[in-house]
Amino acid sequence: MRRKLVYSLLAVVILGIGLLTITLAAGYKPALGLDLRGGISVTLRPVTGQQYDKSSLDLAVERIRERVDSFGVGEPEILRQDNAIVVNLPGVNDQQQALDLVNVTGKVYLRPVLACASPTPSTPVTSIVSTATTTVGSSTVITLTPPTTGAAVSPGSTVTTGSPGPSRRVNTVPPTTDPSATTTVAAPTSGSSAGTSTTNASATSVPAGSGGATTTTGLPFSDPTQTQILPTRDGGRCQVGPSGGTGEVFVRDSALPRIIGGGWGVTVDLKTGGSGEGVWNALAKECFNGTATCPSKQLAIELDGQIQSAPTVQAEQFTGSVQITGRFTKAEATKLAQVMNSGALPITLQAEAVQTVSATLGKDSLRAALIAGAIGIALVLLFMFAYYRRLALVVVVGLCISGALIYSITSFISRFYNGVLSLAGVAGLIVSIGVTIDSYVVFFERLKDEIRAGRSLRNSAQRGFKAAFHTILVADSVSLIGAAVLWYLSVGAVRGFAFYLGLSTMVDVFVAYFFTRPAVLLLARTKYMSGKTIMGMETSIDGTQALGATS
Amino acid sequence: MDTETDTQIPDAPARRGWRGRLYHGETRIDFMGRKWWGIGLSGALILITIISLVAQGLNLGLDFEGGVQWEVPSANLTDAQARSVLSSNGITTTDAKIVTVSASGQARLRIQTPEQKPEVRQKVSEDLAKAAKVNIKDISTNSVTAAWGTEITKKAVRALVVFIILVALFIAWRFEWSMALSAISAMLHDVLISVGIYSVLQLEVTPATVIAFLTILGFSLYDTIVVFDKVDENTARFAGARLPYDDVINVSMNQVLMRSLNTSAAAVLPVMSLLVVGAGILGAISLREFALALFVGLITGSYSSIFIASPLLAWLKGKTPKYRSLKAPRAIGIDLERLVMGGSPAARREAQRLRGSSQGDTVRAAAIAIATPEVVLSHPPRPRKKKRR
């Protein structure tokens, strides 16, 4: 029993000190929220009346993150909270810049590719041309194979017309589409590189220079009406013509990543009629024939200023569905399918709330909160010492351990999960001091009750803890329920508050059981606790002294 | 009667002063006898709240109503200058609300207008910076659309309803339904009174205030549950004594009184520090919004667990068949004290003595009978065994 207590005590103390040491040694710090260090916070929400789902919001978050990262904003915080997106940009002061940064349309454009450059523009011109085709080839190739190709027309078309559940059917189809796919991959790759090498060389030399400038300032803004130079996902750049159509030609949620001919690819269904197949086939015809508007025979799928994929068109006419094959990894194919799905039903986001916090105001708030918090803790401890005398030592050490645990966990979360400590969080922590102290008070008052009832100190400590822990558990459960509900159902600052309230409540239960219990039980066996000074009443280790009888 | 008893029993701990009794958990405050004070006070406060809510409502901040707000250090900026900046940008100044928020030496001008376009917002910020001769980085702005304000209000209400249902279920499962009902009522009472203070003083309600109100809910429940946990324990303890529920509650509240006061002090001290040091001396306005609501809520939270939740519970439980028949007069004074301290060696000795000297009126005799160790045990009576050894 005693050994167990000692182990528990030592383990908790070592855990607290160890975690704190690791945190400090690794230099992890809680990331501060906007309201504590200044910056701009933008809350976005889809314009009302739109149809959308959570996955398109998630995609928008990803797009905003890529965009914000490309502009080099330090420690941005971009979160989806229910159906809103909160973007916190510390250190940014220009509202217009912030609004531009988060302005993602979610629109997918289909744009004919004029020319492409490799990720490193410094390589010789000839190799740019060749790598242009090979880089695009290596990552995003390139075979748009209509399932209704060539000889396989009639079986192919019957296959594709039944749109629900093509995934099962494709498993059986590959033998028929596979040979055509592999043969067509080889032919256009060599063909396009040979045929367009001269035009590419002249065209890419221009984007190489100006493109270098654009990448330093981040992702360009998409302008679908102009010829533009846009980056590809793998770091290269392509010059693309005006948009010939949008992702709305695809059927919503029909894009699926799947294995096509031994590699990952994406299939997607086309809408029937002029708005779907009509638009797509017009583009496909242009690119398949390599006309002046689409000399490279590649059709770029662009989302918010970034080319997601630029496959070479392998057929003039498509009916029902489209296959995109190439040397994709599974993740790449999934991502592409996701982009195409979201493009089929783009969401327009609207800035609902824009908040700028000046850096000085933020710093002042943080300083004031820290000073006030420190004074508050000092007052509480003074009070504890005045009231519980020597027993308050347990409170001091316990608070230090809670503090070390909470600080370390907060730092870890900031480091690995992109969480920040906002003013609301700080307030939550300060309030939680009260809750933590309360569990000590409940325990110590129980201890006094038991001693008063004539039990020995040692016995009192055990019985007192058992009863008090019961109370603490019930009361803390309510706090936890509250924190969890708030966390799930609220937006913005309330969430930060709920998180820290929940965290400190859990730490409270942990410290109460693994530190306070062994500490007090062990102290109850020593001379430290016996004698009149303890809690202002007469105690004895063995309880032989009748309590009411003295004085 | 108290003094008489005190002189009779020199060993009785009742000799201590009120502070000593409080410290040693030997209080004998007849909370139930004074329940009308609490109910009257709360009733009056709630009435004021309702009148104020109907008459002037709440001063809802920007985040709930939508609009734009600038906060500019106003050392070099007057109200009139700010207005001219607004009108030069095509904003009708009659719609604008301009107040000075002073915080220890650094005064800030807070300008609020209805919703504006982003270009206008940026232009106004630049012009204000020029007029106030400060860097644009020192200007805080906040712009919220009205639709979003409605949305977050709806969310907060939804969270609140879910929270109340879950907590009520939890308490009902852990204790019983009448306790759940009482605890939730006490909690609503706290929120209502806090809201009332915001309405009467026309303090601005911001998201920070909402967070503080939510904390109040948590704290109020926490406090009430600790009291109810004791009541629950005492119900079992006095199960054999057929003690009226009022007495059980009185005893429990006297027993947890010190804990309640201590906890409140421990919780209020940091909040007071936030309010006085953080918001007052150091002038962090955003802290004041939190601290004020918290301060009010903590105090009402402790108050309501004793004066609202417990009488309500007693009333609800008193109607149940089990307790309806128990109509004994409430134990007060020294009798209550004995119940509170029931089972302690001092109380046991005392009961022994008094039983020997068969004097005193019937009420006291009944109370003493209750206080005897045979009936009042420090733990629930063990179920009787079938076979005796």
Side-chain angles (χ1 to χ4, degrees), chain B residues 334-367:
Chain B
I334 191 78
D335 302 331
L336 177 58
E337 187 180 315
R338 280 203 204 94
L339 286 174
V340 172
M341 299 182 56
S344 78
R348 237 174 270 162
R349 264 196 311 280
E350 197 181 316
Q352 203 75 44
R353 269 183 47 127
L354 280 174
R355 247 191 320 178
S357 69
S358 57
Q359 37 171 284
D361 55 312
T362 45
V363 176
R364 222 174 80 195

Side-chain angles (χ1 to χ4, degrees), chain A residues 57-69:
Chain A
L57 276 176
D58 283 332
L59 193 71
V61 168
E62 217 173 296
R63 297 297 310 145
I64 295 172
R65 181 162 292 135
E66 275 173 22
R67 187 168 275 278
V68 167
D69 283 347

Side-chain angles (χ1 to χ4, degrees), chain A residues 227-293:
Chain A
T227 297
Q228 274 186 306
I229 297 153
L230 297 174
T232 57
R233 284 193 71 80
D234 54 3
R237 271 183 304 283
C238 287
Q239 189 178 31
V240 292
S243 165
T246 65
E248 286 166 68
V249 300
F250 303 121
V251 174
R252 175 79 179 143
D253 282 340
S254 68
L256 292 167
R258 64 167 56 130
I259 294 170
I260 300 163
W264 281 93
V266 176
T267 63
V268 62
D269 293 344
L270 289 171
K271 284 181 191 158
T272 51
S275 64
E277 280 177 4
V279 172
W280 174 265
N281 281 332
L283 269 172
K285 191 176 179 186
E286 259 177 45
C287 286
F288 182 70
N289 295 327
T291 57
T293 50

